Amino acid sequence: MTLRTVLVLLVLLVLMLPWAASAQQTAEKSEAYVVDTGDAWVDAQLQDINHYAERYPDSFLDEVARYAGVSRGYIAALMYTHGWQAGDIYFACFWAHAIERGCRDSVQAWSRAVPEEGQPKRWEDVVAALPVTPTNLHWRALRHAIVASHDHWDRPIKLDATLQRQLGDRAQRQRAASNPAPSGR
């Protein structure tokens, strides 16, 4: 490699650093984040996920890739290139997983959504417009995924009464995870 090529690459790198930094999940982005899925508990957890992704972006990306079955490169591009909030990435991918669709379907629906004049874009409206009618089982799957992610991250989470009945406390969830139910053979 010639000296000129190295210098050109260094200049390009220096020019790209501010752009890359602005696409990161930051405290300012998280503080300004407003989400409206139609479920207040989910909204609060997505805001918390934003804060988690500020500090641990790789762990966040690994979680979504592994448990929502989405390419890590795809979700990294949403975060770093397209400036998506971590909470929106999480919701798009895990909602798609719950309704047995691809994450790209949710991402494309969100990208196409145009709210009424002066209104914010809302996941609640996007979910209603997707080809799968949302059911309580879909919301339950999403809520369980959120709890599991917090457990994987060793992050505290406050369960509502329904989730507490369904999943138990952290110790019960850990025991259940380490002792999977027999396959029935």
Side-chain angles (χ1 to χ4, degrees):
M1 206 180 276
T2 67
L3 181 59
R4 180 182 167 97
T5 304
V6 170
L7 288 174
V8 168
L9 290 173
L10 283 173
V11 168
L12 287 173
L13 179 63
V14 168
L15 291 173
M16 291 180 68
L17 283 176
W19 172 77
S22 68
Q24 300 269 341
Q25 188 70 43
T26 63
E28 294 79 21
K29 279 180 75 173
S30 290
E31 288 303 320
Y33 181 56
V34 177
V35 62
D36 188 356
T37 63
D39 182 312
W41 185 87
V42 169
D43 294 349
Q45 304 320 309
L46 292 175
Q47 288 175 326
D48 182 65
I49 288 169
N50 254 17
H51 289 293
Y52 178 82
E54 290 166 26
R55 190 151 191 198
Y56 305 104
D58 287 333
S59 182
F60 166 77
L61 293 172
D62 290 343
E63 179 79 7
V64 177
R66 181 174 185 183
Y67 295 104
V70 181
S71 156
R72 191 179 195 282
Y74 179 71
I75 53 180
L78 288 174
M79 181 181 269
Y80 296 124
T81 304
H82 300 288
W84 273 54
Q85 296 272 0
D88 289 331
I89 294 169
Y90 190 96
F91 185 83
C93 294
F94 278 94
W95 183 260
H97 191 260
I99 64 170
E100 298 178 348
R101 304 288 291 202
C103 183
R104 289 178 196 268
D105 293 343
S106 293
V107 168
Q108 290 170 352
W110 177 258
S111 298
R112 284 190 307 263
V114 178
E116 292 186 33
E117 181 88 26
Q119 297 299 313
K121 197 183 287 192
R122 300 165 7 135
W123 273 111
E124 183 176 19
D125 298 332
V126 172
V127 164
L130 287 168
V132 177
T133 304
T135 67
N136 284 339
L137 290 178
H138 297 131
W139 285 104
R140 174 191 254 187
L142 175 69
R143 292 166 131 245
H144 287 204
I146 290 170
V147 173
S149 292
H150 278 73
D151 287 350
H152 298 153
W153 294 326
D154 198 23
R155 189 159 178 84
I157 187 166
K158 183 174 169 87
L159 305 185
D160 63 16
T162 302
L163 284 170
Q164 184 67 44
R165 265 191 327 277
Q166 293 168 347
L167 301 173
D169 63 20
R170 174 88 188 236
Q172 290 169 311
R173 294 191 305 272
Q174 286 177 327
R175 279 193 304 276
S178 64
N179 298 317
S183 64
R185 287 189 208 188

